[in-house]
Amino acid sequence: MPETSPKGLTRLAFGGDYNPEQWPESVWQDDVRLMREAGVTMVSVGIFSWALLEPSPGEYDFGWLDRVFGLLHDNGIRVDLGTPTVAPPVWFYRDHPDALPVTPEGARYEFGSRAAICHSNADYRAAAANITTRLAERYGDHPALAMWHVHNEYGVPVSACYCDSCAAHFRRWLETTYGTVDAVNEAWGTAFWGQRYAGFEDVNPPRATPTVGNPGQALDYKRFADATMRENFRAERDILHRLAPGVPVTTNFMTALSQCDSVDYWAWGREVDIVTNDHYLITDGRRTHVNLAMAADLTRSVAGGAPWILLEHSTSGVNWQPRNPAKAPGQMARNSLGHVARGSEGAMFFQWRQSRRGAEKFHSAMVPHGGTDTRVWREVVELGASLDSLGAIRGTRTEADVAVLWDWHSWWAQNLDWRPSEDADPRERADAFYEALYDRHLTVDFAHPEADLSPYPLVVVPALYLMTEAAGHNLREYVANGGTLVVSYFSGIVDEHDAVHEGAYPGALRDVLGLTIEEFSPLLRGESVRVTGPDGGEIAGDVWTEFVVPRGAETVWTYADGLTAGHPAVTRHRLGEGTAWYVSTRLGSEGLDALLGRAAQDAAIAPRAVPHDVEVVRRSGETGSYLFAINHTATDAKVPLESSGTELLTGERAAGRLAVPAGAVRVVRLDG
């Protein structure tokens, strides 16, 4: 069986994408010298190198890569070898122009970027299998090889193609999934607008239509596109498993909801030997460290709680946002160790040496254009030393306090056209609820709606418009057995085919919430409502309201104005041994904190006496228990310790209250 950690890597992963082909060989010796100076333990190689490895069909040049492998091996640096199938050479597209993807409007993309691939194209699949086989045969038993890196960032920037090859593949997928075209008609509700199909041969991808098309078809096409990419990953993975047994295979995810919305990572997490992730800060004025923590928690959850690897992030600014600020001094270390605290077995970057040419030449790197006499390089070397001192945490697991339910299929479905309000954004609610939990210093596991939720005293549902009957039963059982559940508006409305559950809203959640909803009443842009509580306090809601009818639930907060004035805004339902809360409007940070504070009381979760924006996370395992404290503020802070211990970055003893300087990170190995 393949390993579940990089083969031969005995320390935390530290390094980045190494692209020696961009530089003359005279630079390579300097590269490995600097890698040793920085404490680099592993680099990713060959991800975009197909055109160099196979410069013309059937002609191969591995000499340069042989020399790179030898140089890295001689210097004790492990290799994460990419299959370069994200970037086919120009000769491939010249011979197979139909492998370029087609938009819903019928336009075919051109060569000249990356990931311009029709994943249904048979010629692409054959060529990808061939270059993967050649690489596995040549390097599968190389002593420097630590793991395989298939493709690159599936789903970015193109996940779906709408060409005739995809149409034929989609029909086969539908027949395998549904069995008969009548089952497709039933699932999609094609009786509406006379869309009924007589046979699979009549079905096409959801191409451009005069007005909104069939939502069931659009949802299934998203599933099909994701499954097709996954087929191609499995094809390469299986070749590598066969020809390089014992070497783990991965592909780099982009789990952050801010960065990829076309991939069902619950499904992908089951396919890789090691979960790896790329994460880049979205510098839109918000607290970027919260988005980072959320992405790391989501990645760990996709890995089933097991350790994972941060395969890419940036040393400083990126180059693809409208505005690309530099990271502040110390922020690179905080970002890196924030991922490590939440389960990563290291911190790697894109890329090692900053490019002089190409689209990403202004993207920061471990070795910047300014060379080693720069702040970035000095911080890289310091980070390498810090990671080296944390080797004992390898194999430990992050401890979570609560669970947040998330389902990519529901996100896809809610974002289809013609919903009650375009302002009801599932990602926004996920971000908002996560931030509220973060500010209560609660570490979050994400979970699929049908997963076992029994380990968690509190489960939060920010947005689950699509919910299967099985998920609804799962939540009812969770609450009846003593759990505390918090559900936000527009959840439980449709089944897996985007069909409204029979009966009153919220279909799959009626019983557990103890209520029905007579009607949605979205607000216009800029409108808000006042919501009053039992103590006379008032909070605000916007975007959404509902006419809620309690059927066993008690009213906790009430709409004070607007069309729904006098109706319940927030309810609480006792069911069996547990409690289910429901909020029918969009609450801001103050309202969410009040709601989650009440729910935390029900779940017997005590408040945490930790300063705002000081992040405290714990990892534990056979080697001990480790407390990470990350100070994102400009003020020195103190964090209470449950026991004494040794601070691993400074070597100092810590007891009582741990001092964490402004902008700094401390990691304590707790005694006992």
Side-chain angles (χ1 to χ4, degrees), residues 74-87:
D74 289 345
N75 285 271
I77 299 165
R78 309 296 294 162
V79 177
D80 167 36
L81 180 57
T83 66
T85 52
V86 70

Side-chain angles (χ1 to χ4, degrees), residues 482-493:
T484 300
L485 178 69
V486 177
V487 178
S488 187
Y489 62 87
F490 205 42
S491 293
I493 306 303

Side-chain angles (χ1 to χ4, degrees), residues 12 56-57 69 105 113 185 241 346 357 408 422 468 545 547 557 600 603 609 611 631 667:
L12 294 178
S56 59
F69 256 84
E105 295 75 23
S113 180
N185 284 317
H241 279 172
R357 300 173 177 84
W408 278 273
E422 66 178 16
T468 63
T545 62
F547 291 94
W557 278 284
N631 188 349
V667 184

Side-chain angles (χ1 to χ4, degrees), residues 596-666:
L596 291 172
R598 291 285 301 272
Q601 289 179 356
D602 284 346
I605 298 174
R608 307 284 170 84
V610 178
H612 183 71
D613 272 340
V614 176
E615 189 174 329
V616 177
V617 183
R618 188 164 168 165
R619 287 182 65 156
S620 61
E622 293 182 0
T623 62
S625 185
Y626 304 85
L627 184 140
F628 286 73
I630 306 172
N631 188 349
H632 296 285
T633 77
T635 304
D636 294 349
K638 291 186 180 295
V639 171
L641 292 176
E642 62 189 65
S643 68
S644 59
T646 301
E647 203 289 308
L648 298 179
L649 300 179
T650 63
E652 298 174 354
R653 291 291 294 171
R657 293 175 66 81
L658 173 68
V660 188
V665 181
R666 293 291 180 262

Side-chain angles (χ1 to χ4, degrees), residues 143-181:
L145 183 64
M147 65 180 185
W148 293 100
H149 179 311
V150 170
H151 205 266
N152 186 72
E153 295 178 346
Y154 279 99
V156 179
V158 179
S159 60
C161 171
Y162 297 81
C163 71
D164 289 342
S165 292
C166 288
H169 192 185
F170 184 43
R171 295 175 196 124
R172 295 192 298 272
W173 182 86
L174 288 172
E175 189 165 10
T176 299
T177 302
Y178 289 100
T180 67
V181 74

Side-chain angles (χ1 to χ4, degrees), residues 112-238:
S113 180
R114 66 171 190 176
I117 296 163
C118 167
H119 283 277
S120 295
N121 185 271
D123 295 313
Y124 167 76
R125 291 183 167 203
N130 178 68
I131 190 64
T132 298
T133 299
R134 298 283 180 164
L135 285 168
E137 290 173 340
R138 191 169 191 94
Y139 300 106
D141 60 356
H142 196 287
L145 183 64
M147 65 180 185
W148 293 100
H149 179 311
V150 170
H151 205 266
N152 186 72
E153 295 178 346
Y154 279 99
V156 179
V158 179
S159 60
C161 171
Y162 297 81
C163 71
D164 289 342
S165 292
C166 288
H169 192 185
F170 184 43
R171 295 175 196 124
R172 295 192 298 272
W173 182 86
L174 288 172
E175 189 165 10
T176 299
T177 302
Y178 289 100
T180 67
V181 74
D182 288 341
V184 174
N185 284 317
E186 176 65 22
W188 293 357
T190 56
F192 186 80
W193 280 0
Q195 296 171 339
R196 188 168 183 83
Y197 294 102
F200 285 110
E201 66 276 8
D202 295 324
V203 181
N204 278 316
R207 294 165 174 156
T209 52
T211 185
V212 174
N214 185 293
Q217 178 192 25
L219 177 57
D220 265 348
Y221 204 74
K222 290 180 179 293
R223 290 170 171 145
F224 159 75
D226 178 57
T228 301
M229 292 188 292
R230 209 156 56 246
E231 283 179 20
N232 286 355
F233 167 77
R234 281 197 299 265
E236 293 189 43
R237 179 203 64 192
D238 292 350

Side-chain angles (χ1 to χ4, degrees), residues 385-454:
S386 295
L387 289 170
D388 192 51
S389 69
L390 298 180
I393 71 164
R394 293 178 70 238
T396 60
R397 294 193 173 210
T398 301
E399 298 179 4
D401 302 299
V402 300
V404 169
L405 301 194
W406 183 255
D407 182 15
W408 278 273
H409 293 226
S410 179
W411 190 17
W412 298 341
Q414 187 172 339
N415 283 346
L416 296 174
D417 293 321
W418 285 11
R419 296 329 188 208
S421 172
E422 66 178 16
D423 298 324
D425 179 357
R427 180 198 151 194
E428 182 278 330
R429 283 293 80 188
D431 286 345
F433 271 90
Y434 182 90
E435 187 166 4
L437 292 166
Y438 179 97
D439 285 341
R440 298 188 73 83
H441 304 287
L442 298 173
T443 301
V444 171
D445 273 350
F446 286 84
H448 188 274
E450 296 179 18
D452 176 18
L453 303 174
S454 60

Side-chain angles (χ1 to χ4, degrees), residues 521-595:
S521 185
L523 302 178
L524 298 179
R525 186 179 298 276
E527 285 187 331
S528 62
V529 291
R530 292 182 296 115
V531 176
T532 56
D535 57 357
E538 189 173 284
I539 54 179
D542 63 5
V543 170
W544 191 273
T545 62
E546 295 173 344
F547 291 94
V548 174
V549 179
R551 301 189 186 276
E554 61 175 299
T555 299
V556 182
W557 278 284
T558 304
Y559 290 111
D561 57 9
L563 196 60
T564 54
H567 288 265
V570 178
T571 62
R572 178 176 181 267
H573 184 220
R574 293 287 301 175
L575 178 67
E577 300 298 318
T579 307
W581 290 79
Y582 182 65
V583 54
S584 63
T585 187
R586 190 177 82 162
L587 298 178
S589 57
E590 179 184 359
L592 286 177
D593 184 65
L595 170 66

